[in-house]
Amino acid sequence: MNIVVVTATYNEKGNIERLIDIIETEVFPKIKSHKMRLLVADDNSPDGTGEAVRRLMKKWKNLSINSGEKKGLGAAYLRAITSAIEEFDADVIFEIDADLSHDPKEIPNFLKKMEDGYDIVTGTRYSEGGSMPENWPLHRKAFSVIGNLLVKIITGRFYIYDWTGGFRAIKREVFLKEKDKLISFQGYTFQVAFLYKALLDGYKIGHVPIHFKDRTLGRSKIAPLEYIVNLLKYVIWERIYELRRFIKFLIVGSTGFITQIATQEVAVRSGLAYAISLIIGSSPSSPILERDILALRDGIGGGFGAEAAIISNFMFNNFWTFNDARKLKVKSPFFLRLIKFNLTSVASIFIQSFSIWFFVQLLGVNLNIGGFTIPTRLVVVVPTIILFVIPLNYFIYNKIIWKTQYLRNVNDAKV
Ligand SMILES: Nc1nc2c(ncn2[C@@H]2O[C@H](COP(=O)(O)OP(=O)(O)OP(=O)(O)O)[C@@H](O)[C@H]2O)c(=O)[nH]1
Ligand SMILES: [Mg+2]
């Protein structure tokens, strides 16, 4: 494979000379099965980093420089890795800090993992066998650990040991797939976004424990507080976006539930459900019992509630959850879709009416629970929804409503 090790530099003259020396004399000669190159991504550093690299390029034929305007670490990597692929046909690209914090002697361990089939391999400080610099003051260690921990909690991905680290090997395919999505990210956020997007696309991520050393020359360019605030903002939004369907499902469901209970209670307490039950339940030959009339009343109230929830769910789904489906010009008119939605939901009205009617017949209009008198219809409605209505609606949304919308969209798109 063609391997290009890319290192980003900004004012790293002393460090880059040492790093090039170590890589060229102690690391590359030991790797026999791959073609190795070193590429320095410099942003026209005023301290003469570029000149130092150009001098060494005369000595090392597999060393090159990629210079550009200073736009931050992420931009420098995007620019230089693109050039590593275009100019040197790189199959695997490494990212490594130039300040000797990352030990280049670990490169063969990363390569071994890539050969095992991983798409990205990250150097990890926070796993067994890895470490932070011992001479780091407590606040810096805490900052680093807490930053990583927050990313793990928000993303829910604890198996990524080191989200922010900058020592990585990346397959060409992964970079080409993700590069356009990474243009706006800086510093730690660039590294985290790269990993997160690759992970969401299903790429396999491996780890190599590393000992991170403190820089001995030059100055740090990363402004921790600013970067960490941007990082957290990014991770939270990305996670909300990742879970958007689920979040919408919860919101639509809860709104539907509140609407259902409110409507049911209005229908029962206003006397409407009672009036309807008298019409349905009375017959001139046999007078209906009070208990039967009340069961019918509550069952009818439950039916009103279920219908209100259906309309509420339809509105939310139509204007919000499946908003993008509407943009794709779903042709069937609004009312036709509403009627269709109702017809497919008729079973859930029936289930809820029947369940309330059945339990009011069985247990009476009110239940006594822990000294409180609660209408049976309110106690029955929750388990009925959870056990029968949600699974049924889930099936209907996925197999009938959503599916037909989707197919229609595909046809629309073709027209
Ligand atoms: N080309 C380029 N390289 C950069 C830029 N900012 C940082 N770098 C390089 O990226 C690497 C990591 O930056 P550092 O400043 O060392 O950040 P850090 O490792 O979090 O901080 P320290 O532990 O203090 O070194 C170093 O090799 C820097 O020279 C930039 O804007 N352009
Ligand atoms: Mg550093």
Side-chain angles (χ1 to χ4, degrees):
M1 284 196 288
N2 290 329
I3 318 285
V4 179
V5 176
V6 181
T7 181
T9 53
Y10 193 73
N11 289 345
E12 303 282 6
K13 185 169 182 291
N15 286 321
I16 193 67
E17 288 170 332
R18 286 169 60 194
L19 183 72
I20 292 171
D21 185 60
I22 298 172
I23 289 184
E24 294 287 2
T25 61
E26 299 178 47
V27 180
F28 282 0
K30 289 191 185 135
I31 303 170
K32 307 282 184 218
S33 46
H34 302 289
K35 209 170 142 209
M36 307 297 295
R37 288 201 68 92
L38 179 56
L39 176 64
V40 180
D42 185 55
D43 290 353
N44 299 321
S45 301
D47 74 340
T49 300
E51 289 73 36
V53 174
R54 286 192 183 85
R55 258 197 316 278
L56 286 166
M57 279 164 59
K58 297 198 182 90
K59 183 172 174 193
W60 307 108
K61 292 299 162 218
N62 58 0
L63 171 67
S64 346
I65 186 162
N66 176 278
S67 309
E69 203 185 314
K70 179 163 165 56
K71 288 188 198 151
L73 180 62
Y77 269 135
L78 286 177
R79 189 190 67 219
I81 297 175
T82 304
S83 127
I85 292 170
E86 287 173 0
E87 278 182 53
F88 306 118
D89 197 21
D91 298 303
V92 169
I93 303 99
F94 274 80
E95 291 177 354
I96 183 169
D97 284 0
D99 57 5
L100 299 162
S101 287
H102 299 147
D103 183 357
K105 290 180 190 136
E106 294 289 345
I107 287 174
N109 292 333
F110 282 68
L111 281 175
K112 222 171 278 153
K113 286 265 170 180
M114 294 304 270
E115 286 158 8
D116 287 347
Y118 287 97
D119 300 305
I120 296 189
V121 177
T122 62
T124 69
R125 295 161 284 182
Y126 316 108
S127 60
E128 223 182 296
S131 66
M132 280 181 285
E134 265 168 26
N135 60 338
W136 262 6
L138 192 66
H139 74 271
R140 184 117 203 231
K141 281 185 183 162
F143 214 77
S144 188
V145 171
I146 291 169
N148 258 284
L149 188 65
L150 285 175
V151 177
K152 284 177 196 172
I153 292 170
I154 297 166
T155 60
R157 272 40 175 246
F158 287 86
Y159 56 87
I160 302 292
Y161 300 118
D162 195 333
W163 275 94
T164 53
F167 194 4
R168 293 178 179 176
I170 302 147
K171 256 191 199 159
R172 174 229 288 269
E173 176 201 329
V174 183
F175 177 77
L176 292 177
K177 168 101 184 174
E178 311 301 345
K179 72 178 273 196
D180 292 340
K181 303 177 204 162
L182 299 171
I183 290 167
S184 55
F185 298 114
Q186 285 297 323
Y188 300 125
T189 315
F190 172 78
Q191 302 294 11
V192 172
F194 200 152
L195 215 50
Y196 203 163
K197 289 180 190 297
L199 189 143
L200 292 177
D201 281 331
Y203 288 114
K204 237 177 118 186
I205 296 169
H207 304 282
V208 168
I210 55 164
H211 297 289
F212 188 92
K213 280 176 273 168
D214 204 6
R215 58 158 76 237
T216 51
L217 291 174
R219 286 219 327 265
S220 174
K221 282 106 208 160
I222 302 276
L225 196 62
E226 187 196 330
Y227 274 128
I228 218 145
V229 170
N230 287 338
L231 171 63
L232 292 182
K233 261 199 257 174
Y234 160 71
V235 182
I236 290 168
W237 279 116
E238 187 78 273
R239 182 68 166 156
I240 289 175
Y241 187 71
E242 188 190 349
L243 298 178
R244 65 196 179 284
R245 284 239 167 82
F246 181 65
I247 293 169
K248 281 180 175 181
F249 177 78
L250 286 186
I251 295 173
V252 170
S254 327
T255 315
F257 179 72
I258 293 166
T259 310
Q260 167 157 2
I261 297 295
T263 309
Q264 172 181 304
E265 289 312 292
V266 169
V268 171
R269 287 164 203 248
S270 66
L272 175 68
Y274 189 74
I276 296 174
S277 60
L278 278 182
I279 296 167
I280 297 173
S282 335
S283 79
S285 51
S286 56
I288 187 167
L289 295 172
E290 179 68 4
R291 185 183 171 113
D292 290 345
I293 266 288
L294 290 183
L296 204 53
R297 176 198 73 179
D298 286 4
I300 289 166
F304 270 102
E307 174 62 19
I310 286 167
I311 293 173
S312 156
N313 287 350
F314 176 77
M315 292 297 180
F316 270 100
N317 283 328
N318 191 63
F319 292 106
W320 194 41
T321 317
F322 295 112
N323 195 23
D324 32 349
R326 286 199 312 132
K327 273 189 214 130
L328 284 165
K329 285 194 282 181
V330 176
K331 286 277 163 39
S332 75
F334 175 83
F335 280 106
L336 201 68
R337 258 178 293 146
L338 178 60
I339 291 167
K340 225 169 129 182
F341 195 84
N342 253 291
L343 284 179
T344 48
S345 305
V346 97
S348 52
I349 303 184
F350 179 76
I351 290 170
Q352 285 168 86
S353 282
F354 177 80
S355 155
I356 291 176
W357 172 81
F358 179 79
F359 281 101
V360 173
Q361 283 275 12
L362 192 71
L363 307 168
V365 177
N366 292 311
L367 289 175
N368 193 314
I369 300 173
F372 292 100
T373 303
I374 303 171
T376 308
R377 60 178 184 274
L378 287 181
V379 180
V380 166
V381 83
V382 178
T384 307
I385 288 174
I386 294 174
L387 291 178
F388 298 107
V389 176
I390 290 177
L392 181 73
N393 279 348
Y394 185 79
F395 179 80
I396 289 172
Y397 287 6
N398 277 289
K399 300 286 173 198
I400 301 173
I401 305 278
W402 190 79
K403 194 173 172 189
T404 52
Q405 275 202 351
Y406 174 72
L407 287 177
R408 202 177 295 124
N409 291 333
V410 172
N411 292 337
D412 277 357
K414 279 191 195 143
V415 170

